[in-house]
Each structure stands twice: as structure tokens, then as C-alpha cells.
């Protein structure tokens, strides 16, 4: 059994900036979660997992989040309300999980606000390495044609940048990634955290945003935590605190808006110092 797993959930620029700040703050307080035996990353969390496993100093990663010159621009004139409505129609159309995910996959294959090269370039610019890390890393995606969760790791044969790009390919906004005859999109449509992938671990720390209402994903975090604890794991879940939620709201609540990066990272860092002292240290050490 793996000793410690770090699960990093989805949530756009808000999640990735908050997670980097959170991890930096915990390290300042004496709990460095970069020594996890397993990383599970979904969408934004996949980017963060690669970043913290790369060996780049946490302070450098934090500074990247608060430097607005290094953030991409939001899609001009994008209709976020219409986008969410389309996803909810796909989810509410009935059928099992695979049928719902195939409908979302059809949306992903037919519409995207940006080009594949633009999104891949952003991901590549965010990742300080191009090789899979030595530590075990699982990157959650969804096969758009089959409607099935698909997990990439070092043995999958896919380029690391392509895997991370696929995990963050939000249906209707970013085009899915082609690999061996199929297309792969954001793993957050199955689960925003995919924490059940850490089931072979003894201790599991999950950093995840709270699910929206109604949620866009199909499998809840509560279900994953129940699975982990049922397998004997000790689990701690860290959600954004009140100050971080206020930081998210300061930019209109759009988690994909790059303007959220700076306030989310700063709030996460302050929260990380407190969480390390109050809860995480007992789990991780």
C-alpha cells in the first residue's frame, strides 16, 4: 500500500492558484506535501500535480500565480450562461453515466471557444517539465466517444503535456485531445476530484473546491471519501475557506477567469498555514 496520496481537484484558474497557495502555505508551516507517494490530478489539479512534483521551488510557482502577465486571456464575449445550460441539458437528458458523458463528449467534439494549439501552449508554458515525474501520477480524463473515465499515467504512452492538456479540456470551451483513435476531455465531468483513484493509499489528503449546485460532475466527493475510508485510509479534505471563497467572488465567481489567480493564490497561502497547524500535520507526518 502507498503511504501518502495527494489528490488535487478541478476548478479552473481558481483551483490551481488556490492549490499552489495552499501547498506553499502548508510548507511554510512545516508540512511539505510534495513528498507524496501518489498524486491524483484532475484538470487544474493535474497541472498543479506536475508543477509541485517538478522540483521547482514553491515560491517560484507561487509567484507565477500572482503575476498577471503570465495568465491567459478569457475567451472574448464567451456566453458562460449558455455554456452551463448546454452542459446541464446533457446531464439531465437521462440514461446512465456513460450515456451522459457521451452527450457531453459530443458537445466537446463539436464546439470549442479556443484552438487546440492555444490551449496546449498555455499548458506547456505552465509546466516546468516535459517528462513524467518519478513519483506516481494519475491524470483523470474522460473518453469523449465512449463516455468512460480514462486515467493516464507514465505507462500510457502519452506525452505528459498532452495528458495534462486533455484533463483540462473543458467541453465546449477547449477542444479535446486526440490519442490513439479517441478524444479525451476534462476528467472533472466524471468527478471533480477522482479521489477514489487513491484507494491503495494509507493516508489521503484531498484539496478540492466545493461542488456547484447543481454539480456538473457525476460522482461526488462524498462517495469517493466513503470508498477510501471503507478501504482503511485516513482521509482529510480541505476546501477553500471563507476568505478564499471571497477571493473567488471578487472576480464575479467565474472560476475560469484568469483574474482570479492572484487573490486565490494569496488566500490559499494564508489558509495553508492554518490548515497545516490545525489538521494536515497529524495526517501527513
Amino acid at each position: 500500500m502507498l503511504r501518502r496520496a495527494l489528490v488535487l481537484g478541478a476548478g479552473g484558474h481558481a483551483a490551481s492558484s488556490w492549490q499552489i497557495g495552499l501547498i506553499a502555505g502548508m510548507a511554510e508551516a512545516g508540512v511539505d506535501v510534495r513528498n507524496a507517494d501518489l498524486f491524483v490530478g484532475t484538470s487544474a489539479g493535474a497541472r498543479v500535480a506536475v508543477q509541485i512534483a517538478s522540483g521547482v521551488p514553491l515560491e517560484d510557482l507561487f509567484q507565477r500565480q500572482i503575476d498577471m502577465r503570465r495568465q491567459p486571456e478569457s475567451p472574448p464575449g464567451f456566453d458562460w450562461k449558455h455554456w452551463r445550460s448546454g452542459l446541464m441539458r446533457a446531464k439531465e437528458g437521462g440514461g446512465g453515466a456513460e450515456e451522459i458523458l457521451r452527450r457531453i463528449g459530443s458537445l466537446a467534439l463539436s464546439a470549442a471557444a479556443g484552438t487546440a494549439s492555444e490551449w496546449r501552449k498555455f499548458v506547456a508554458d505552465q509546466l516546468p517539465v516535459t517528462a513524467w515525474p518519478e513519483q506516481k501520477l494519475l491524470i483523470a480524463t474522460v473518453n469523449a466517444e465512449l463516455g468512460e473515465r480514462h486515467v493516464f499515467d507514465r505507462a500510457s504512452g502519452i506525452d505528459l503535456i498532452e495528458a495534462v492538456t486533455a484533463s483540462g479540456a473543458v467541453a465546449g470551451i477547449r477542444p479535446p485531445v486526440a490519442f490513439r483513435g479517441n478524444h479525451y476531455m476534462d476528467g472533472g465531468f466524471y468527478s471533480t476530484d477522482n479521489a477514489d483513484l487513491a484507494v491503495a493509499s494509507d493516508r489521503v489528503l484531498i484539496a478540492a473546491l466545493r461542488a456547484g449546485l447543481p454539480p456538473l460532475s457525476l460522482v461526488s466527493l462524498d462517495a469517493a471519501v466513503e470508498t477510501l475510508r471503507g478501504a482503511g485510509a485516513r482521509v482529510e479534505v480541505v476546501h477553500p475557506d471563507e476568505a478564499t471563497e471571497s477571493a473567488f467572488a471578487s472576480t464575479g465567481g467565474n472560476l475560469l477567469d484568469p483574474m482570479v489567480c492572484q487573490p486565490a493564490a494569496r488566500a490559499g497561502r494564508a489558509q495553508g498555514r492554518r490548515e497545516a497547524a490545525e489538521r494536515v500535520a497529524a495526517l501527513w507526518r
Side-chain angles (χ1 to χ4, degrees):
M1 176 177 282
L2 297 170
R3 186 181 177 203
R4 292 177 292 203
L6 177 63
V7 176
L8 299 166
H13 297 297
S16 57
S17 298
W18 168 68
Q19 288 165 353
I20 288 291
L22 185 78
I23 292 165
M26 289 192 294
E28 284 181 313
V31 182
D32 192 342
V33 297
R34 291 176 295 176
N35 62 0
D37 303 295
L38 169 67
F39 296 103
V40 176
T42 303
S43 195
R47 294 201 305 275
V48 175
V50 175
Q51 288 170 328
I52 64 172
S54 69
V56 172
L58 281 175
E59 187 60 34
D60 291 357
L61 296 176
F62 179 80
Q63 291 300 322
R64 288 174 69 101
Q65 300 305 311
I66 64 174
D67 184 352
M68 296 310 298
R69 296 170 300 178
R70 306 187 73 165
Q71 308 306 328
E73 296 181 1
S74 296
F78 190 78
D79 189 338
W80 296 102
K81 185 176 180 179
H82 177 75
W83 169 76
R84 185 175 177 85
S85 296
L87 290 177
M88 291 312 299
R89 285 194 299 272
K91 185 178 179 184
E92 295 166 358
E98 290 183 4
E99 186 175 349
I100 293 170
L101 290 172
R102 282 196 295 270
R103 285 197 294 270
I104 296 175
S106 294
L107 176 63
L109 292 165
S110 63
T115 67
S117 60
E118 289 172 347
W119 176 236
R120 189 186 189 283
K121 183 180 185 305
F122 167 75
V123 172
D125 288 345
Q126 291 287 303
L127 302 184
V129 294
T130 58
W132 285 83
E134 290 300 315
Q135 290 151 293
K136 188 174 180 62
L137 167 62
L138 303 179
I139 296 178
T141 70
V142 170
N143 184 313
E145 285 90 359
L146 300 180
E148 298 174 348
R149 179 172 70 175
H150 187 87
V151 181
F152 288 119
D153 63 12
R154 189 189 310 166
S156 298
I158 190 171
D159 177 82
L160 176 65
I161 293 174
E162 294 295 303
V164 176
T165 301
S167 189
V170 182
I173 298 177
R174 297 162 182 151
V177 171
F179 179 67
R180 294 181 178 172
N182 286 108
H183 293 81
Y184 297 89
M185 63 181 183
D186 198 315
F189 289 112
Y190 176 83
S191 164
T192 57
D193 51 88
N194 291 282
D196 62 298
L197 296 176
V199 71
S201 300
D202 178 54
R203 304 176 187 185
V204 183
L205 176 63
I206 303 169
L209 304 193
R210 292 179 178 85
L213 294 174
L216 292 177
S217 61
L218 302 181
V219 179
S220 71
L221 174 57
D222 288 345
V225 170
E226 183 177 350
T227 296
L228 293 169
R229 287 178 174 157
R234 293 174 56 191
V235 182
E236 286 287 352
V237 179
V238 179
H239 290 304
D241 61 7
E242 185 175 344
T244 304
E245 294 288 1
S246 295
F248 294 167
S250 69
T251 57
N254 178 5
L255 304 182
L256 302 180
D257 187 343
M259 294 300 293
V260 78
C261 293
Q262 186 176 103
R266 294 189 187 281
R269 190 167 192 165
Q271 181 183 358
R273 297 187 193 103
R274 293 191 301 274
E275 293 288 354
E278 295 170 3
R279 290 197 296 155
V280 177
L283 173 77
W284 207 255
R285 290 174 177 163

